[in-house]
Amino acid sequence: MRTVITRLLSISLFMLLLFNVCKAADEYCIPPFLDKWGDPYTGIVNVKFEGETTLDNSTPYDDKYKYFDELPPVELEKGKEYNLSITLLNTMQQSWAKLLQVRVWIDWNHDFDFDDEGEEVITVVEDSTNLFFEELLKVPEGAATGITRMRVYEDMVFGHIDANPCGYINEPKESIGHHGNVEDYDIKITGTGTPQPELTLSVDTLDFGGVVENQSDSLTFDISNTGSAALEITQISVGGTDKDYFSIQNINLPLTIEPGNSETITAIFSPTGIGNFLAGVGIVSNDTGGPGIVRLAGEGIAEPKPELTLSVQELDFGEIYNDQTKQLEFGINNSGNDTLMVAVLMVKGKDANAFSLSGFDLPLNIEAGDSVAIIVEFNPVDKGDFGAQIIIGSNATEEPITLVVTGKSLGPNSVLEDTNILSLSLTPNPASETINIKYDIKEGIYEEIHLYIVDLSGNKVKSLNQTREIAGGQNITADIMDLPAGKYFLIIESGGTYNNYPLIIVR
Ligand SMILES: [Ca+2]
Ligand SMILES: [Ca+2]
């Protein structure tokens, strides 16, 4: 491991050295003059730069490329303006040969090239027969202090494409200025520049996330002045497609922020609809870098509320006997987007005692999208029709809602009117395969007992037993598979009296 680290370290050091060597070797490109191409028909005969010190250099027109490093550098102060003039000579008399082009580059950031923004300070191309050019040049506030380079270029227009500082664009092998002249000068940049304000924002985007429709939320951001002069803010405004959903808390303008200080701005999102909304805050100031912009994003969402729905419109238990119970279920569903809280769940009405509810505790909380099954039991104590209402009180509705429950009792499963029979039970009922009949006969009865099944029209559909029984308990099991589903009566006949017992057959 140590070896690897040492090797890595060595490589790093080597790269660092190489980098420094390369850096030390940095110098400006020399325009690739090809002497065999053309004669210097035109050229620069004077360059005058009136800086804090003045350059006034007269030269032959035909000196092609020359770096005048023996001359003292022209001193320029950051932020100031200076006049630069160039005088040319053209030995050609033909009209086509009189058109001249001039470019001047200054390596303001001193990175040994002339390619950075603002470094081509003079551009005159194609339409000039002038032999004298001058321009007032402003030294950028951000220029690097120290010695740097200016390159002055001149050539005939005709037959030559646009130049760059190191050759012709797209044709690097062609000599730059091969009917003209290129001159390099040293420039010395001094000064601290004019203090400038600089607007810096604490965020690019304020994302409000979800805000309930017709409610508001606010977020803040800071405008800081990271420059060296007072920042004057003249306008803060909201723009963009959804600007109506956003606003800025009132602030007095113009607003001055001293260097190093900041101001907190409050943005407000007030969705009056549902959906995603985008806008932006634009901040206009004396920072020349353009307005500051903070993007605004937010989503209008529906107000959270529970919504109660029932799985059934009503509950009908149908028909059962008194000594039976029957259970049915219904579901309470929450189809809303907030928790449903059921505080009241009870049976009311004249027959409330015949019904009971189970399967829950109160208060019953049902999360959004969930449902709970409620068990309702019907246990009638008398023959007849029963009706009641299940009352459901919750935070979903102003008034409790009701669910109607009904059921019918066919009466006791075994009631004996025949004085010869003490008791009878018929199970199961409803039945599907077999029925079991138990009955007791009084002491001293010698009548024949007939048991049979009739349909609703009174037709005998099945005979079960016909015997003269002795007193005591009797037990008959009968197959009813051959009878279709429906309502029947079990008839027990004894001594000329008949008793009917409802029988329901289900399939
Ligand atoms: Ca010259
Ligand atoms: Ca540069």
Side-chain angles (χ1 to χ4, degrees):
M1 179 62 85
R2 187 189 172 90
T3 315
V4 173
I5 290 173
T6 309
R7 187 172 299 161
L8 281 173
L9 210 59
S10 305
I11 292 169
S12 302
L13 280 172
F14 174 73
M15 294 298 282
L16 198 65
L17 276 171
L18 194 68
F19 177 76
N20 283 332
V21 166
C22 287
K23 198 72 184 164
D26 268 342
E27 51 188 38
Y28 292 93
C29 62
I30 295 171
F33 273 80
L34 300 178
D35 289 340
K36 61 184 179 181
W37 281 36
D39 295 315
Y41 298 133
T42 71
I44 301 162
V45 291
N46 184 265
V47 172
K48 188 173 184 184
F49 204 171
E50 295 165 276
E52 300 300 319
T53 60
T54 297
L55 166 75
D56 188 355
N57 191 35
S58 294
T59 58
Y61 79 95
D62 56 356
D63 49 353
K64 296 192 172 178
Y65 170 71
K66 191 156 186 217
Y67 171 30
F68 294 95
D69 57 346
E70 73 280 9
L71 296 177
V74 192
E75 287 190 22
L76 307 176
E77 267 188 43
K78 282 197 244 184
K80 285 195 176 178
E81 290 183 322
Y82 302 102
N83 196 63
L84 173 65
S85 62
I86 296 150
T87 309
L88 308 177
L89 179 73
N90 190 348
T91 63
M92 303 291 281
Q93 299 304 313
Q94 299 91 331
S95 59
W96 56 264
K98 284 190 171 178
L99 295 179
L100 301 177
Q101 55 175 315
V102 172
R103 291 173 196 259
V104 178
W105 297 277
I106 299 177
D107 179 22
W108 294 122
N109 64 350
H110 199 207
D111 64 346
F112 299 95
D113 67 38
F114 302 102
D115 301 336
D116 298 288
E117 190 179 343
E119 291 192 339
E120 183 165 312
V121 296
I122 293 179
T123 308
V124 181
V125 180
E126 293 202 359
D127 60 350
S128 180
T129 56
N130 293 339
L131 295 174
F132 181 77
F133 301 92
E134 67 178 335
E135 196 136 339
L136 205 56
L137 300 183
K138 183 174 183 184
V139 183
E141 300 288 350
T145 52
I147 306 282
T148 189
R149 188 77 71 90
M150 172 170 73
R151 176 161 293 176
V152 184
Y153 153 87
E154 173 278 334
D155 200 355
M156 285 167 53
V157 169
F158 188 80
H160 305 288
I161 53 179
D162 287 349
N164 71 23
C166 298
Y168 281 97
I169 295 168
N170 299 328
E171 292 196 33
K173 285 182 181 172
E174 188 175 356
S175 63
I176 180 172
H178 76 266
H179 289 313
N181 195 184
V182 179
E183 299 182 353
D184 278 9
Y185 295 95
D186 282 337
I187 300 286
K188 184 179 181 184
I189 310 287
T190 62
T192 54
T194 308
Q196 297 290 321
E198 184 160 349
L199 185 155
T200 303
L201 297 168
S202 58
V203 294
D204 295 329
T205 299
L206 285 182
D207 190 347
F208 289 83
V211 173
V212 173
E213 185 184 14
N214 297 322
Q215 294 186 15
S216 289
D217 194 13
S218 63
L219 290 174
T220 63
F221 64 94
D222 291 337
I223 303 175
S224 302
N225 180 1
T226 51
S228 51
L231 177 67
E232 301 278 344
I233 294 172
T234 50
Q235 188 184 336
I236 302 178
S237 57
V238 179
T241 315
D242 304 320
K243 63 182 166 55
D244 293 345
Y245 297 92
F246 300 90
S247 59
I248 294 296
Q249 205 170 64
N250 197 32
I251 190 159
N252 289 328
L253 294 174
L255 172 67
T256 302
I257 304 175
E258 297 299 331
N261 287 356
S262 60
E263 191 75 28
T264 299
I265 305 296
T266 302
I268 302 158
F269 176 44
S270 310
T272 52
I274 292 170
N276 287 298
F277 303 110
L278 291 173
V281 184
I283 301 136
V284 178
S285 72
N286 60 338
D287 181 343
T288 53
I293 291 174
V294 175
R295 281 166 47 86
L296 302 173
E299 184 183 4
I301 58 175
E303 184 178 0
K305 60 180 180 185
E307 184 148 353
L308 190 159
T309 53
L310 298 177
S311 63
V312 295
Q313 300 303 309
E314 58 177 39
L315 278 180
D316 183 2
F317 283 87
E319 296 173 339
I320 65 170
Y321 293 98
N322 281 0
D323 55 356
Q324 289 183 309
T325 60
K326 186 172 179 181
Q327 289 186 343
L328 289 177
E329 279 186 9
F330 74 94
I332 301 178
N333 310 317
N334 180 4
S335 52
N337 60 353
D338 200 6
T339 303
L340 172 67
M341 283 176 285
V342 178
V344 175
L345 187 50
M346 60 191 292
V347 185
K348 274 195 156 181
K350 69 178 177 62
D351 301 324
N353 289 341
F355 302 92
S356 59
L357 304 176
S358 59
F360 62 91
D361 290 315
L362 289 179
L364 171 61
N365 289 336
I366 305 173
E367 297 303 322
D370 284 355
S371 63
V372 170
I374 306 298
I375 299 163
V376 188
E377 186 170 284
F378 179 40
N379 186 11
V381 294
D382 258 327
K383 187 173 177 178
D385 292 320
F386 292 80
Q389 297 88 42
I390 297 174
I391 308 294
I392 304 157
S394 75
N395 61 339
T397 55
E398 289 287 324
E399 299 291 329
I401 62 167
T402 59
L403 174 64
V404 172
V405 287
T406 53
K408 183 174 186 175
S409 171
L410 298 168
N413 195 4
S414 59
V415 175
L416 298 179
E417 293 171 8
D418 187 330
T419 51
N420 293 332
I421 308 298
L422 288 173
S423 71
L424 183 140
S425 80
L426 170 60
T427 56
N429 193 6
S432 58
E433 293 177 359
T434 58
I435 52 173
N436 186 253
I437 304 156
K438 291 178 181 173
Y439 59 96
D440 283 301
I441 301 172
K442 272 186 183 172
E443 200 78 40
I445 298 299
Y446 297 101
E447 302 286 348
E448 279 198 340
I449 308 292
H450 294 186
L451 282 169
Y452 52 91
I453 296 171
V454 299
D455 63 18
L456 288 179
S457 305
N459 302 315
K460 186 187 284 187
V461 294
K462 197 174 192 71
S463 193
L464 303 179
N465 195 19
Q466 182 174 346
T467 180
R468 187 184 298 273
E469 304 284 0
I470 58 165
Q474 311 298 319
N475 192 348
I476 297 170
T477 298
D479 187 344
I480 52 159
M481 287 292 281
D482 53 336
L483 295 179
K487 287 183 180 175
Y488 299 85
F489 291 97
L490 171 71
I491 308 294
I492 182 162
E493 181 197 344
S494 168
T497 58
Y498 299 84
N499 274 286
N500 304 334
Y501 303 95
L503 167 64
I504 296 171
I505 296 177
V506 293
R507 292 277 175 253

